[in-house]
Amino acid sequence: MTAVGASRFGPAYVLALAFGLLSQVEVIRGDQPATTGTIVFEGPTPVAVGPSPRTIAMVDIGGDGLTDLIVGNVGTCTSTCVGTVAVLSGNGDGTLQTPVYYTSGWSPSHLVLADFNNDGRTDIAAVNGPDSPTTADVYVYLNNGDGTLRPGIRTALSLAPGNLVAADFDLDGKQDLLVGYSASLTFSVMLKGNGNGTFGPPVKLEWGFPGFRQIGADFNRDGKPDFAMQRTPGVMILLGQGTLTGFTPAGLYSVSSGQAVSGFALGDFNTDGIPDIAASLTQNVSRTGPVGAVMLGNGDGTVTGPVLLTSEPKDAGRSVAVADFNLDGKDDVAISLEDLHHIAVFRGLGNGQFATPLLVPAGLFCRALAAGDLNRDGRPDLVACRPLHHNVSVLINVTPLPASGRNWEFLE
């Protein structure tokens, strides 16, 4: 049993990317009292979401104060290949309603949340790839504000992508999309947002090296969106100049020899108000490496680190989520361990260091992670995709609230 919380950088949800052929997610609840520093979850509870869920997000779609679950499901191919984006509305008690499905491309592999038509509501973008046999596209689902979405608006791409970053890169007040491609390609594509869920023609950004996974933030605090990119064996940070194509490399940072980034999340792990990077890591050939790494932002576009996150027994990190799971004001890190069927939760100490991880059972072959408060108790819960089982695992955080030091207010 284990529990989780939300990062200070962005809304009260955390997205994480994981790839695989499994098909389920489970809900886990914590029902044991915790001592100081302990994180507790209850579960896992399996929730059916559709075939082979690949990516998940948590957000209040309906504007009712309840956290909802968004899932990207791999589709089937007959005359065409069609996948789905599923919306499971939250009941506010840790349970979820029956999925409502929206047509997508064959293989939604990453979701991002942003307001793509400037109406104050959170919309959804899903990228389809990188293993789609026939489609290469991005779908944007505009939010009706009542818990439903409009049919997806399709933007075609020439090659199957795998990752998205949403930000107003050219500072025109409209959300743009940076599209990352597979490890065999050496470029990304920028899509200029039109402010209505559609985009201009793709603009190719050539890097000269593969950069599959990416995450956006203002790493040098100049008001212009930047992003970090996987560049094996580490991470490269590129600083935005307020245009769609102007990005300046700020540094290349090695992580761990023989390993690569499998997922990104943001947090503030040394409580200095500057965005830091958490990454899950693939395993090396000898399976002796860490499952994750943390790089601390310096506020000028550079980072310090990495701080390596290790767990026993060794396994590959598939996805990462960040939240304050024990409500002590310090960001923690959760990393899914697919082969061990657990989630490793690293309690943050507030100085860039972490305690020995807690291993939380999450069901067979857990991959993509998301964190959010499903039962309105102020404590972040965890959801993990299980593609081979066509469901997700839900873990409810029951870590006791701190006796003092923080004030909590819960709104009906």
Side-chain angles (χ1 to χ4, degrees), residues 14-28 44-58 69-74 84 86 88 108-111 318-321 335-339 341-343 362-371 382-395:
V14 181
L15 297 187
L17 173 66
F19 295 97
L21 301 175
L22 302 183
S23 310
Q24 83 181 39
V25 182
E26 295 184 1
V27 179
I28 305 173
T45 300
V47 176
V49 296
S52 299
R54 297 279 298 274
T55 179
I56 50 177
M58 297 170 76
L69 182 67
I70 318 297
V71 182
N73 294 308
V74 174
T84 60
L88 290 81
S109 60
H110 193 206
L111 302 172
R318 298 297 308 211
S319 180
V320 58
I335 296 177
S336 59
L337 308 176
E338 177 188 15
D339 294 338
H341 319 309
H342 281 66
I343 297 170
L364 296 176
F365 303 112
C366 56
R367 294 196 176 180
L369 292 180
L382 279 176
V383 180
C385 280
R386 298 179 59 201
L388 292 182
H389 300 83
H390 311 291
N391 66 14
V392 296
S393 292
V394 178
L395 298 87

Side-chain angles (χ1 to χ4, degrees), residues 13 15 61 110-127 138-143 149-150 152-153 155 164-169 172-179 190-200:
Y13 52 77
L15 297 187
I61 285 292
H110 193 206
L111 302 172
V112 293
L113 308 179
D115 182 3
F116 291 106
N117 61 345
N118 292 333
D119 64 354
R121 302 167 183 161
T122 300
D123 308 311
I124 302 167
V127 64
V138 172
Y139 277 72
V140 169
Y141 304 87
L142 299 179
N143 187 348
L149 304 173
R150 300 177 203 174
I153 302 171
T155 298
L164 288 177
V165 173
D168 180 13
F169 287 103
D172 67 350
K174 303 169 185 176
Q175 291 289 306
D176 312 305
L177 283 176
L178 177 66
V179 183
M190 182 69 75
L191 299 174
K192 177 178 173 58
N194 294 323
N196 60 1
T198 68
F199 300 88

Side-chain angles (χ1 to χ4, degrees), residues 284-300:
N284 56 31
V285 174
S286 60
R287 300 186 71 82
T288 59
V291 299
V294 165
M295 286 153 279
L296 303 177
N298 295 318
D300 59 359

Side-chain angles (χ1 to χ4, degrees), residues 210-230:
F212 185 23
R213 296 174 180 87
Q214 302 158 345
I215 192 166
D218 184 5
F219 291 111
N220 61 347
R221 299 184 291 177
D222 65 352
K224 301 169 184 175
D226 314 310
F227 68 96
M229 174 191 298
Q230 169 200 359

